[in-house]
């Protein structure tokens, strides 16, 4: 696979903050690459530099091996986190407006079908529900039939059903052989959609790889959870750390761990056993809660 | 630099947005119409109590020798140019025009006051040669119509461009456009053209509609009036662009736009003539684009001025537009960095 996007030593400094501090990564063609991190980690600043919206203080961005320029814009599609649409236009008119900006465009019928816009094609932009709006914004990002699609926190504020629907659309789009660059602070979303992730915190990438490989590398086995209160005595030889109201222990030897708990007289009433997920990984890496 | 297809698409979208916003649309039409109709009622019955007589020839001793000169409540005004004085007589702004040395006078046969002034003159001296003229009166509403429509154009241009661009910048419409191949030039040109079209169509509709009711006095050419209206609107739109070039605060922009529009409301001669105002006020008014728009339009409508007569106003409007546009292009930002 060739790399569609290569970023090296990207820096963005504002007056008194360094929002992005030396970020490097590359994205192979055809995958969904997730840029994860808490609010304020520098994700949006990073992607906006990639999109050509803001200028980097230092570093280079290359599409297909060539340094990004004005023409790169016709190869990328962007769904912004917060965008207003022009008032008083219908969904169809908005799509036609954006289609007229590009030389190469995806046919209207294909956009409508791909983003499930059929039911509200002639509705005023202002009267769309949250989910419908996000689908229209997705369609606008696809209007120029881009090779690479940027989705910046696309499901923030959507209800669970609308989020699942949106994920299905993104999976369909991936099948069209598009590369997707997803920014999110929802770990379930990343786990659902991403082939490869990079975790950002305080302007830097602190870990990068496929979700499976990263989980394997940072956790062996499963997570044991006990309620922090009324679990009785804990065996001294097992290391627990507290996450909210839960005590957590990671182990590759579940039988052994359970025997030790029983032997110590720990109450197993509230015991939970589960596989670690990206959220656990993130907490381990950054040491603070995600959505604070 | 400019792609016509993209420009046209934004132009169309902006027009649709404007014409679908029914409440704003109604207000844009109703406001000037209501003012004009109100004014024609309020000032419709106004009559000057005294007689105003124009005097040609500049010979004060010949005038003083006339018994007419001693009549009370007659105001004598000297004129150097016969055509100017004749127009004023036709417009009922003078009741009689006399040349005492040449023993000649002009009378407007459609004006009752002109007839009475003629009787007063002939009561003292019968050896004057009579030249009859005709002409309908120029009313306050005729005088004020370029001012009201100009003022409406000013608000529409300043707020319709300035406010809208700042709103687009604040809510992310501009940011979304920046991510497309659309250039700032294409976007701004589309906004300017859309507003120019809207303002001219609206002003024409308002003028024609009110003309139907009030029958305005129009001495000059329609083509010249359209030209000065276009230039005036363009310079006001450019000023709106300049104000909106980089702010993303609607409050600040609203304040700046008010700061630009209120002096024009009062100093550009919308409601009253500045002829008697202090010199510095008149000088200040010359820096306002609306002044030149209204002066030019009034000269065409009341005095039948041609383009050569209003070349000063045309030059000023073109110059101001160029200045505002260059500054706006220099300062313009899609979004705060």
């Amino acid at each position: 696979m060739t790399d569609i996007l290569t970023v090296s030593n990207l820096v963005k400094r504002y007056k008194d903050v360094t929002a992005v501090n030396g970020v490097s990564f590359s994205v192979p063609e055809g995958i969904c690459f997730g840029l994860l991190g808490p609010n304020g980690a520098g994700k949006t600043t990073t992607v906006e530099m990639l999109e050509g919206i803001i200028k980097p203080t230092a570093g280079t961005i290359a599409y297909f091996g060539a340094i990004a320029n004005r023409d790169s814009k016709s190869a990328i599609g962007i769904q912004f986190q917060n965008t207003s649409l022009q008032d008083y236009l219908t969904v169809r008119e908005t799509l036609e407006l954006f289609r007229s900006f590009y030389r190469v465009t995806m046919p209207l019928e294909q956009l409508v079908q791909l983003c499930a816009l059929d039911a509200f094609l002639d509705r005023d932009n202002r009267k769309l529900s949250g989910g419908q709006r996000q689908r229209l914004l997705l369609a606008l990002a696809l209007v120029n039939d881009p090779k690479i699609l940027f989705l910046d926190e696309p499901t923030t504020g959507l209800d669970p059903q609308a989020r699942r629907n949106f994920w299905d659309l993104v999976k369909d789009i991936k099948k069209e052989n598009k590369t997707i660059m997803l920014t999110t602070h929802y770990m379930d979303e990343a786990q659902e959609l991403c082939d490869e992730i990079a975790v950002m915190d305080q302007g830097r990438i602190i870990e990068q790889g496929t979700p499976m490989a990263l989980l394997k590398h940072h956790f062996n086995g499963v997570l044991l959870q006990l309620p922090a209160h009324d679990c009785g005595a804990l065996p001294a030889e097992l290391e627990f750390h507290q996450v909210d109201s839960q005590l957590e222990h990671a182990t590759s030897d579940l039988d052994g761990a359970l025997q030790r708990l029983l032997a110590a007289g720990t109450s197993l009433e509230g015991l939970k056993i589960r596989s670690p997920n990206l959220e656990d990984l993130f907490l381990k890496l950054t040491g603070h809660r995600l959505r604070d | 630099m400019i792609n016509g297809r993209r420009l046209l698409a934004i132009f169309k979208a902006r027009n649709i947005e404007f014409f679908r916003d029914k409440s704003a649309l109604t207000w844009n039409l109703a406001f000037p119409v209501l003012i004009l109709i109100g004014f024609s009622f309020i000032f419709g019955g106004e009559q000057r109590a005294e007689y105003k007589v124009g005097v040609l020839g500049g010979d004060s001793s010949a005038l003083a020798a006339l018994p007419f000169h001693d009549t009370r409540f007659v105001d004598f005004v000297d004129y150097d140019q016969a055509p100017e004085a004749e127009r004023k007589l036709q417009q009922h702004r003078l009741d009689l025009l006399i040349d005492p040395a040449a023993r000649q006078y002009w009378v407007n046969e459609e004006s009752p006051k002109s007839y009475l002034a003629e009787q007063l003159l002939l009561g003292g001296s019968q050896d004057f040669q009579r030249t009859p003229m005709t002409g309908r009166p120029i009313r306050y509403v005729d005088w004020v119509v370029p001012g009201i429509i100009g003022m409406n154009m000013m608000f529409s241009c300043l707020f319709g461009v300035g406010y809208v661009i700042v709103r687009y910048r604040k809510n992310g419409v501009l940011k979304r456009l920046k991510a497309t191949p659309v250039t700032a030039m294409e976007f701004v040109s589309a906004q300017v053209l859309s507003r120019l079209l809207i303002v001219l169509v609206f002003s024409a509709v308002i003028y024609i509609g009110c003309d139907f009711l009030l029958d305005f006095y129009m001495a000059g050419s329609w083509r010249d009036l359209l030209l000065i209206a276009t230039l005036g609107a363009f310079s006001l739109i450019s000023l709106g662009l300049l104000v909106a070039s980089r702010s993303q605060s609607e409050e600040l922009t609203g304040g700046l736009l008010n700061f630009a529009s209120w002096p024009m409301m009062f100093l550009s001669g919308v409601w009253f003539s500045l002829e008697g105002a202090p010199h510095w006020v008149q000088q200040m008014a010359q820096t306002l684009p609306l002044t030149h728009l209204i002066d030019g339009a009034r000269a065409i409508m009341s005095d039948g001025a041609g383009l050569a007569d209003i070349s000063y106003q045309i030059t000023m409007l073109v110059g101001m537009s160029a200045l505002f546009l260059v500054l706006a292009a220099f300062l313009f930002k899609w979004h705060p960095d």
Side-chain angles (χ1 to χ4, degrees):
Chain A
M1 274 192 294
T2 51
D3 285 340
I4 193 166
L5 169 65
T6 313
V7 178
S8 39
N9 286 315
L10 207 55
V11 177
K12 181 67 189 181
R13 251 189 297 275
Y14 292 103
K15 257 175 217 147
D16 24 84
V17 267
T18 304
V20 175
N21 192 2
V23 163
S24 302
F25 60 87
S26 50
V27 181
E29 192 169 2
I31 73 158
C32 177
F33 186 94
L35 197 58
L36 316 184
N39 293 329
K43 305 183 302 281
T44 298
T45 310
T46 303
V47 291
E48 287 191 351
M49 286 191 279
L50 303 184
E51 294 159 352
I53 302 288
I54 53 179
K55 278 204 179 75
T57 311
T60 56
I61 298 161
Y63 286 98
F64 299 104
I67 298 296
N69 55 29
R70 262 206 86 80
D71 294 333
S72 315
K73 278 185 186 171
S74 49
I76 65 179
I78 305 171
Q79 175 175 2
F80 284 114
Q81 197 176 333
N82 300 309
T83 308
S84 273
L85 294 159
Q86 206 175 315
D87 290 343
Y88 298 99
L89 292 189
T90 65
V91 170
R92 188 197 301 276
E93 285 163 349
T94 308
L95 288 171
E96 291 291 5
L97 173 67
F98 277 77
R99 272 163 51 79
S100 68
F101 296 159
Y102 297 92
R103 233 173 262 125
V104 180
T105 54
M106 196 182 271
L108 191 68
E109 307 78 59
Q110 196 185 346
L111 279 173
V112 169
Q113 185 244 324
L114 205 53
C115 301
L117 305 175
D118 239 343
F120 51 93
L121 201 51
D122 291 307
R123 196 171 297 171
D124 190 320
N125 287 337
R126 294 167 302 160
K127 292 178 182 150
L128 301 181
S129 74
Q132 291 171 336
R133 220 182 111 77
Q134 289 307 93
R135 269 140 68 194
L136 171 57
L137 291 178
L138 181 66
L140 291 182
L142 287 168
V143 118
N144 54 328
D145 202 4
K147 292 243 178 347
I148 180 163
L149 184 64
F150 288 88
L151 304 178
D152 192 1
E153 306 199 356
T155 63
T156 301
L158 296 191
D159 64 54
Q161 201 191 5
R163 291 184 73 201
R164 301 230 154 248
N165 288 340
F166 195 86
W167 292 346
D168 289 340
L169 296 179
V170 173
K171 285 176 194 165
D172 288 343
I173 289 163
K174 232 174 91 177
K175 284 184 203 141
E176 307 268 314
N177 194 31
K178 306 244 178 261
T179 310
I180 296 172
M181 180 90 198
L182 174 74
T183 322
T184 185
H185 56 194
Y186 295 126
M187 295 301 139
D188 52 345
E189 185 162 286
Q191 199 139 19
E192 184 80 22
L193 298 174
C194 294
D195 304 302
E196 199 174 325
I197 57 169
V199 181
M200 272 191 93
D201 196 25
Q202 293 172 352
R204 291 174 181 280
I205 289 182
I206 52 176
E207 191 58 274
Q208 191 179 343
T210 68
M212 282 296 277
L214 289 177
L215 288 174
K216 221 170 182 173
H217 180 248
H218 287 279
F219 298 98
N220 43 357
V222 294
L223 287 174
L224 271 174
Q225 282 184 329
L226 286 165
H229 304 289
D230 53 67
C231 64
L234 288 169
E237 62 271 32
L238 295 186
E239 192 193 325
F240 278 86
H241 54 265
Q242 189 158 354
V243 180
D244 293 341
S245 60
Q246 303 281 315
L247 291 172
E248 221 172 67
H249 171 67
T251 179
S252 55
D253 174 17
L254 183 59
D255 291 338
L258 288 175
Q259 275 161 17
R260 287 202 178 91
L261 286 170
L262 285 171
T266 313
S267 161
L268 299 185
E269 277 298 316
L271 177 70
K272 274 183 253 167
I273 301 168
R274 61 176 184 84
S275 323
N277 56 26
L278 286 179
E279 191 147 346
D280 302 309
L281 176 70
F282 190 89
L283 291 179
K284 194 177 168 196
L285 290 173
T286 63
H288 53 75
R289 285 302 297 179
L290 253 187
R291 286 166 224 146
D292 56 4
Chain B
M1 179 113 175
I2 288 188
N3 175 314
R5 198 165 57 111
R6 297 200 287 251
L7 192 155
L8 191 69
I10 305 173
F11 172 74
K12 246 171 67 185
R14 178 72 186 109
N15 291 348
I16 290 175
E17 182 183 25
F18 180 81
F19 283 102
R20 284 192 189 155
D21 185 357
K22 292 283 180 289
S23 49
L25 193 73
T26 314
W27 178 242
N28 261 294
L29 271 175
F31 179 59
V33 172
L34 288 176
I35 293 185
L36 277 173
I37 291 177
F39 270 42
S40 74
F41 277 111
I42 295 168
F43 296 104
E46 186 196 46
Q47 285 288 324
R48 282 172 287 114
E50 76 280 12
Y51 292 86
K52 216 168 175 179
V53 176
V55 182
L56 287 170
D59 186 349
S60 55
S61 60
L63 175 65
L66 292 179
F68 184 40
H69 183 246
D70 300 326
T71 318
R72 290 173 64 197
F73 303 117
V74 177
D75 198 8
F76 293 93
V77 188
D78 282 320
Y79 284 92
D80 302 327
Q81 305 287 334
E84 186 195 352
E86 282 171 15
R87 180 170 301 112
K88 291 211 161 153
L89 178 66
Q90 287 175 318
Q91 294 172 341
H92 300 219
R93 284 146 92 185
L94 286 179
D95 298 313
L96 199 66
L97 180 62
I98 57 173
D99 189 337
R103 308 310 273 182
Q104 205 176 1
Y105 75 95
W106 292 259
V107 61
N108 185 338
E109 294 194 314
E110 290 178 27
S111 161
K113 286 184 79 181
S114 192
Y115 170 78
L116 289 172
E118 180 187 20
Q119 299 311 309
L120 288 173
L121 171 70
L122 298 178
S125 348
Q126 282 86 27
D127 57 341
F128 273 69
Q129 193 200 332
R130 182 176 197 263
T131 311
M133 304 196 83
T134 55
R136 46 177 287 208
I138 192 155
R139 300 155 298 173
Y140 178 66
V141 72
D142 296 310
W143 184 86
V144 88
V145 63
I148 304 290
I149 292 180
M151 178 188 69
N152 198 53
M153 286 170 82
M154 171 188 75
F155 282 120
S156 181
C157 291
L158 287 180
F159 285 85
V161 169
Y163 216 61
V164 168
I165 288 183
V166 170
R167 199 182 71 218
Y168 282 171
R169 188 182 286 117
K170 191 180 173 189
N171 66 19
V173 169
L174 285 195
K175 188 172 156 189
R176 188 64 193 80
L177 287 176
K178 203 205 170 185
T180 71
V182 171
T183 64
M185 200 64 194
E186 285 160 5
F187 172 77
V188 167
S189 308
Q191 298 301 314
V192 169
L193 290 178
S194 164
R195 185 48 52 160
L196 201 54
L197 175 86
I198 288 167
V199 161
L200 291 178
V201 166
F202 265 68
S203 301
V205 167
I206 292 164
Y207 185 95
I208 293 165
C210 289
D211 192 35
F212 197 67
L213 287 172
L214 303 171
D215 191 18
F216 294 128
Y217 192 96
M218 173 62 179
S221 121
W222 290 104
R223 201 200 54 197
D224 296 351
L225 191 62
L226 181 65
L227 179 82
I228 194 90
T230 309
L231 289 176
F234 188 70
S235 70
L236 289 162
I237 290 170
S238 310
L239 181 59
L241 279 179
L242 176 61
V243 171
S245 55
R246 57 171 56 210
S247 171
Q248 69 162 347
S249 155
E250 282 168 297
E251 284 80 8
L252 172 69
T253 309
L256 286 175
L257 290 173
N258 277 322
F259 183 72
S261 52
W262 281 87
M264 289 200 251
M265 275 272 278
F266 292 110
L267 298 183
S268 289
V270 172
W271 312 100
F272 44 81
S273 164
L274 281 183
E275 268 169 30
H279 185 67
W280 66 269
V281 173
Q282 294 188 22
Q283 289 296 105
M284 219 180 110
Q286 295 303 305
T287 64
L288 308 171
L290 186 61
T291 307
H292 302 291
L293 166 60
I294 294 177
D295 284 356
R298 242 172 223 154
I300 293 168
M301 290 178 64
S302 304
D303 307 334
L307 290 185
D309 303 314
I310 55 167
S311 59
Y312 167 71
Q313 279 83 7
I314 291 175
T315 314
M316 288 302 278
L317 287 176
V318 170
M320 284 184 184
S321 305
L323 176 71
F324 296 150
L325 276 183
V326 167
L327 281 176
F330 182 68
L331 292 171
F332 185 81
K333 269 193 169 184
W334 283 103
H335 62 110
D337 209 13

